[in-house]
């Protein structure tokens, strides 16, 4: 496929800029060489972007069971709300009294999401989940520092954690202590008890965890950490399984992030924009990044928390993502939120049950909103790996599940159907999975050769990592 710059010819163009309606000014230091813009007609431009759009796979194209990423359908009403002129035709430096509606969106979102999670205060500055983790850990750090409790330098992370958890802890200046999981996928409570001490700053955990299991010892886990003087951080990326059913605040967590782009239905994948809103209990609220919105009888104001850690992003974060999340919450309402979570769990269990006819599950069910399959035995008997099955799915228009994660499961495929898939779709997809299992036995080479129907075939991933070609030279 040609680049847009390689299409068209000099002189071809379309006029996208409206006529200038402000006085023209002379720049003091204008550029001297002309801008290298593509010379294409409107037809060519439209075809170019349509061709690009056809080469990607999104939730609007087909099944997208990317475990831990919650690729659910994004209701179009969210887009309608996010593009209302009152939200788009404004400037972040406008006086407060002229953007009361926008401030109310932030205040209302903090209130409703706080109610869903059991948190007292919230910031929408972080742009993604990992950014939220970093922010939440800085809150924990500021809390201990404020109390002159400077010996607390360690963050405890279970071995099933998402890779961003230990990475965020290190970026925030902590040392990471790993605790193992037991054969049931839950944290080894005795190992945790042995790991905590006066140097424990906190614990990071996601529940349900990345193997799709709700840790039934969660109250004991958070108590052990609190008794040792540490705080508890909840990675909210898996909230889709439990929203409206159980609250991280009630599980004993002090600070959380939400991936608004996952659980609360904003298009993601391909890099954002996202929102890693961070909620916290009262004890951490004075440390939140500022400004935050305060509401009183006369309206909304922006205020700086007393001991704020400072900004983690310019202005108020990815505001339009918050609008979408608020729309989603208000659309579903008090009944719809838990219903979505329950259907997500039901769908995952339905697929898990059907696929266990042939595939080996890493952990016995029932699962929460996702489940992990272990394809080691398939690889041993047929030579076909989790990667081969994933590539085979591509030829059927199905996005592969998350592969080789979590790290504690060998040849892992992690499937998360979400509540927005119908039984008919899941039946079709299960049919494909089971068919590929047969292909692995009957004609393994066909799977090694997959995919055959995609714009690019199997890529040399090692080569791409070792000898990356980062500059397009024209081919
Ligand atoms: C997605 C995810 C994250 C990171 O969130 P981003 O928005 O991608 O930065 C963290 N933890 C878990 C369990 C996740 O699934």
């Amino acid at each position: 496929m040609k680049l847009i710059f390689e299409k068209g010819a000099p002189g071809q163009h379309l006029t996208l800029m409206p006529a200038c309606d402000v006085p023209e000014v002379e720049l003091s230091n204008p550029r001297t060489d002309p801008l290298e813009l593509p010379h294409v007609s409107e037809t060519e431009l439209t075809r170019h972007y349509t061709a690009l759009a056809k080469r990607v796979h999104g939730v609007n194209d087909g099944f997208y069971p990317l475990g831990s990423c919650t690729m659910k359908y994004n209701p179009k009403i969210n887009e309608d709300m996010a593009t209302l002129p009152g939200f788009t035709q404004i400037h972040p430096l406008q006086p407060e009294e002229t953007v009361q509606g926008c401030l109310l969106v932030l205040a209302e979102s903090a209130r409703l999401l706080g109610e869903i999670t059991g948190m007292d205060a919230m910031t929408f500055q972080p742009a993604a989940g990992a950014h939220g983790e970093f922010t939440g850990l800085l809150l924990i750090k500021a809390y201990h520092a404020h109390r002159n409790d400077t010996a607390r330098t360690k963050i405890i992370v279970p071995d099933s954690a998402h890779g961003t958890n230990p990475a965020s802890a290190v970026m925030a200046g902590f040392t990471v202590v790993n605790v193992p999981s037991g054969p049931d996928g839950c944290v080894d409570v005795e190992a945790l008890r042995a790991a905590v001490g006066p140097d424990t700053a906190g614990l990071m955990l996601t529940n349900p965890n990345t193997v799709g299991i709700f840790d039934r010892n969660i109250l004991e886990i958070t108590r052990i950490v609190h008794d040792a003087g540490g705080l508890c951080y909840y990675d909210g990326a898996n909230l889709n399984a439990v929203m409206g059913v159980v609250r991280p605040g009630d599980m004993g967590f002090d600070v959380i992030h939400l991936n608004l782009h996952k659980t609360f239905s904003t298009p993601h994948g391909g890099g954002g924009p996202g929102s890693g809103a961070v909620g916290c209990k009262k004890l951490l609220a004075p440390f939140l990044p500022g400004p935050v919105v305060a509401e009183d009888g006369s309206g909304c104001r922006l205020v700086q928390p007393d001991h704020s850690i400072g900004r983690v992003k310019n202005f108020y974060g990815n505001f339009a993502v918050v609008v979408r999340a608020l729309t989603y919450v208000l659309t579903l309402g008090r009944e719809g939120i838990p219903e979505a979570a329950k259907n997500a769990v039901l769908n995952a269990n339905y697929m898990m049950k059907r696929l266990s006819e042939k595939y080996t599950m890493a952990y016995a069910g029932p699962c929460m909103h996702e489940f992990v399959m272990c394809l080691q035995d398939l690889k041993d008997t047929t030579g076909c790996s989790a990667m081969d099955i994933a590539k085979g799915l591509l030829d059927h228009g199905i996005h592969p599940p998350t592969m080789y994660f979590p790290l504690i499961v060998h040849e892992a495929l992690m499937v998360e159907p979400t509540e927005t898939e119908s039984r008919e779709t899941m039946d079709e997809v299960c049919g494909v999975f089971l068919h590929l299992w047969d292909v692995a036995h009957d004609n393994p080479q066909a799977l090694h050769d997959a995919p055959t129907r995609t714009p690019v075939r199997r890529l040399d991933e090692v080569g791409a990592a070792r000898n990356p070609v980062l500059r397009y030279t024209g081919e």
Side-chain angles (χ1 to χ4, degrees), residues 194-233:
V196 298
D199 57 359
T200 302
L203 163 90
M204 288 183 95
L205 197 94
T206 180
N207 192 29
N209 60 20
T210 56
V211 297
I213 304 285
F214 188 92
D215 203 312
R216 76 186 90 83
N217 303 316
I218 193 61
L219 289 176
E220 193 179 353
I221 290 170
T222 52
R223 192 177 331 113
I224 291 170
V225 176
H226 284 151
D227 286 350
L231 295 179
C232 297
Y233 183 95

Side-chain angles (χ1 to χ4, degrees), residues 68 128-130 133 162 164-165 206 210 235 237-238 257 259 261-262:
S68 207
E133 293 169 23
H162 194 263
T164 52
N165 290 189
T206 180
T210 56
D235 175 337
N238 293 330
H257 82 257
N259 302 63
H261 45 288
K262 294 182 181 173

Side-chain angles (χ1 to χ4, degrees), residues 23 27 48 72 84 98 141 184 204 230 256 277 316 322 338 355 407 414 433 455:
L27 288 180
H48 179 73
K72 61 168 73 174
L84 286 175
T98 65
K141 197 173 188 178
D184 58 356
M204 288 183 95
I256 64 158
Y316 317 106
V322 184
L355 294 186
L407 301 177
M414 180 192 213
F433 265 101

Side-chain angles (χ1 to χ4, degrees), residues 338-368:
E339 196 183 328
K342 287 174 192 171
N343 283 330
V345 172
L346 181 64
N347 278 1
N349 278 284
Y350 180 73
M351 280 195 71
M352 183 183 190
K353 178 79 186 158
R354 282 213 51 192
L355 294 186
S356 52
E357 185 193 313
K358 289 182 176 163
Y359 289 89
T360 307
M361 297 299 150
Y363 299 92
C367 63
M368 294 300 286

